[in-house]
Amino acid sequence: MDYYSVPRRILRGARQLVYPRRCPFCDRVLGSVPICPDCAAELEALRRKPGMRLDASQHYLGELTGAAATFRYEGCVRRGILHTKYHAAPWAAVELGLWLAKLAFGSEMHMAGAEPVPELVEGMSLGYDCIVPVPASGRARGYNVPQLMAVPLARALGIPLYPKALGRTRAKRHQAGLPFEQRLANVAGAFRVTDTELVEGRKVLLVDDVITTGATAAACTQALLAAGAESVFAIALATVEFETFPARDQPLQENEPDF
């Protein structure tokens, strides 16, 4: 059933009577307030603008046609993503996806009770044919953050979301703490397309929560192109910004919980 169908929205509305909607960045109770007033200024300061595209001299983009991220992976954005990953907060992943739809694609939000709902952005379906999330690194969490982030994007862009189009061929070490060279080796051949008909001949929008070096997005892209995808563009809520591309043996600790 569609995430934004009336029955599911009614169920979520009933749940919010007991567990009110919260800010995904600071966990403040928001209810029907669209944007957290405590985080608004910091979020504006962390926005990557005027351009959101990633520079190939600072990130490894492989065969991607391009990649973009809306925020720098710092401050409340970093805390919000870590909270979503490590504190059993699947609802927060959807809220992060709303920010991605708004800032990256210009989707307006309207409040349906205490739930923000993204509006369709006309013409976006001309640029992409489908959305594919980066697969979860394991099953312990019980949900996939990029998949839930992609739900509002699919509604805003009016294109199908294929949550299971990409799978893993094997378990991998977590990328956090690994230098670039080991990250590439860690994800090499780690992904496969589960059904080539879903992506063959299509322009794919690949969704992730954070792009650090770009190794994971590039490995996913390799699998999608091998299965016949026409092109792949990656979008993430946040990125780690480097003045220069990190040394191959430099450890990167972007996802270590610190709270």
Side-chain angles (χ1 to χ4, degrees):
M1 187 183 294
D2 177 19
Y3 180 87
Y4 290 103
S5 66
V6 173
R8 295 190 70 173
R9 283 163 55 184
I10 290 174
L11 286 174
R12 289 195 296 273
R15 182 183 181 278
Q16 288 179 7
L17 296 175
V18 180
Y19 302 103
R21 173 173 163 260
R22 292 177 175 272
C23 172
F25 301 105
C26 72
D27 209 35
R28 168 182 170 162
V29 172
L30 293 181
S32 59
V33 177
I35 298 174
C36 177
D38 292 345
C39 296
E42 185 175 4
L43 288 171
E44 183 63 23
L46 290 173
R47 281 187 61 183
R48 302 181 67 249
K49 53 186 181 181
M52 293 182 293
R53 289 183 70 107
L54 303 189
D55 188 336
S57 67
Q58 298 177 8
H59 297 84
Y60 177 71
L61 302 183
E63 296 180 90
L64 282 157
T65 58
T70 54
F71 291 108
R72 300 194 305 277
Y73 189 56
E74 303 171 14
C76 68
V77 172
R78 182 178 184 272
R79 292 192 298 273
I81 291 174
L82 291 176
H83 176 82
T84 304
K85 285 184 171 183
Y86 297 110
H87 283 214
W91 58 269
V94 178
E95 289 267 351
L96 295 180
L98 287 162
W99 279 92
L100 195 54
K102 175 182 175 65
L103 297 181
F105 298 101
S107 175
E108 297 295 332
M109 306 291 157
H110 73 267
M111 296 301 296
E115 179 174 24
V117 178
E119 298 282 359
L120 177 68
V121 182
E122 296 293 342
M124 277 298 171
S125 60
L126 298 176
Y128 308 99
D129 297 315
C130 64
I131 298 176
V132 175
V134 172
S137 57
R139 298 181 180 179
R141 187 174 295 126
Y143 58 91
N144 182 15
V145 173
Q147 177 182 332
L148 292 174
M149 287 177 55
V151 169
L153 278 181
R155 181 179 177 89
L157 275 59
I159 57 177
L161 165 62
Y162 297 136
K164 305 298 183 183
L166 268 179
R168 291 188 180 272
T169 59
R170 54 179 168 77
K172 71 172 183 65
R173 288 178 62 192
H174 288 291
Q175 295 284 68
L178 297 180
F180 171 66
E181 195 167 58
Q182 290 184 35
R183 286 171 183 248
L184 281 181
N186 192 34
V187 295
F191 303 98
R192 64 180 178 86
V193 171
T194 59
D195 184 350
T196 58
E197 291 186 3
L198 295 177
V199 301
E200 191 171 9
R202 299 193 177 192
K203 298 184 287 291
V204 177
L205 180 64
L206 181 70
V207 176
D208 205 353
D209 50 3
V210 182
I211 292 177
T212 306
T213 61
T216 296
C220 289
T221 298
Q222 187 176 39
L224 289 163
L225 294 177
E230 179 181 326
S231 63
V232 183
F233 188 94
I235 185 76
L237 183 74
T239 186
V240 177
E241 292 190 335
F242 305 102
E243 290 186 6
T244 58
F245 196 83
R248 287 182 173 269
D249 59 352
Q250 176 186 342
L252 303 168
Q253 299 285 351
E254 77 281 9
N255 279 338
E256 290 301 316
D258 58 0
F259 52 88

